[in-house]
Amino acid sequence: MKRPLLVANWKMHKDQAECRAFVRGLLEAGGVGECAVVLCPPFTALEATGRALVGTGLTLGAQDVHWEEQGAFTGEISVPMLKACGCEYVIVGHSERRRIMGETDGMVQLKFKAAWAGTLTPILCVGETREERQQGNTRQVVGKQLELALAGSRRDAVPPAIVAYEPVWAIGSGVAATAAEAGEMARFIGDELRRRGSPSNQRILYGGSVHPQNIGEFMAQPGIDGALVGGASLDPHVFAALAAAAGRCR
Ligand code: PEP
């Protein structure tokens, strides 16, 4: 049985000292028990967080990446740079980057491929807006995002990625999808990935207003292997409670 996977997306929160304090606080609060955990601090705190994680069993991820290895791309960070900081994972195509920073499906595809080629495991975010759901287009939108991110990958060699189903309307809103809605979409994503020949160790997460009180409902859904967590990952005590609750479900 897979261990529940929790990815903490700290967005533009926490400096180096605050990231180190989080790791200390999490361990003092009892750690993450059964769960596998990826912490994704801002770029400026990757190295400090990576050092704090040595020997803890927790792993490091970044929130974004550029697809080129180096060059004239002011403000961007490459896969080798992230690896040199100790990253093993990178979030790709988060809806805040798509919506606020104008990231296109084409850019997401390049990032996804660059991460995979550089042996950073991509955590691909997909999800529909409220309007798209209301119009009954959820599967179509998510299917298209998946297809475009994976386009060009050989059918028999889809990388061992993690996919996070993150309905845009549930992120940071306090209104999570129902467990049934999230489970249905996780199984849809799993079917789509298998259809493309993806390996069986594929993991699918739910993200959007997850907290210690509702994580159990999501983890109980067949097809959901864990969660991508924003707000509830910022406080070490809340995150420890969330990990304990996730661990109890397996
Ligand atoms: C996210 O940032 O991907 C997210 C799911 O945020 P929150 O948990 O705050 O909704």
Side-chain angles (χ1 to χ4, degrees), residues 32-246:
V32 295
E34 299 280 294
C35 297
V37 165
V38 183
L39 299 181
C40 302
F43 287 137
T44 50
L46 280 173
E47 191 167 5
T49 308
R51 285 185 202 280
L53 292 185
V54 172
T56 64
L58 312 182
T59 50
L60 188 66
Q63 298 175 20
D64 188 28
V65 70
H66 193 268
W67 53 88
E68 294 290 346
E69 286 200 0
Q70 58 180 16
F73 302 101
T74 302
E76 296 293 332
I77 306 282
S78 70
V79 169
M81 291 170 183
L82 295 180
K83 293 209 68 165
C85 286
C87 288
E88 295 175 51
Y89 298 85
V90 63
I91 297 172
V92 168
H94 191 281
S95 67
E96 285 157 11
R97 294 211 57 83
R98 293 180 191 254
R99 202 165 39 85
I100 305 169
M101 312 308 289
E103 205 164 288
T104 63
D105 283 314
M107 290 157 84
V108 172
Q109 182 194 120
L110 289 170
K111 291 177 179 202
F112 183 86
K113 281 190 188 153
W116 181 54
T119 67
L120 262 188
T121 302
I123 302 168
L124 172 68
C125 299
V126 293
E128 80 289 357
T129 63
R130 185 176 296 286
E131 294 68 38
E132 288 163 341
R133 175 165 281 271
Q134 281 164 351
Q135 289 158 6
N137 291 335
T138 301
R139 282 179 176 231
Q140 194 190 328
V141 168
V142 169
K144 191 93 197 274
Q145 288 172 338
L146 271 179
E147 187 182 318
L148 293 175
L150 301 178
S153 305
R154 280 199 355 245
R155 266 188 110 69
D156 59 343
V158 175
I162 296 164
V163 177
Y165 169 58
E166 295 215 303
V168 176
W169 47 272
I171 297 176
S173 66
V175 182
T178 65
E181 286 167 340
E184 185 210 326
M185 286 309 294
R187 292 187 289 279
F188 168 73
I189 290 167
D191 288 345
E192 289 294 299
L193 293 172
R194 275 186 292 279
R195 207 162 58 75
R196 290 175 167 82
S198 102
S200 58
N201 60 355
Q202 207 79 58
R203 283 171 182 264
I204 298 165
L205 312 180
Y206 166 72
S209 298
V210 170
H211 51 69
Q213 289 72 42
N214 66 10
I215 182 75
E217 297 165 30
F218 294 112
M219 294 305 304
Q221 282 287 323
I224 297 184
D225 303 309
L228 177 45
V229 189
S233 72
L234 292 172
D235 179 307
H237 296 277
V238 176
F239 194 64
L242 196 144

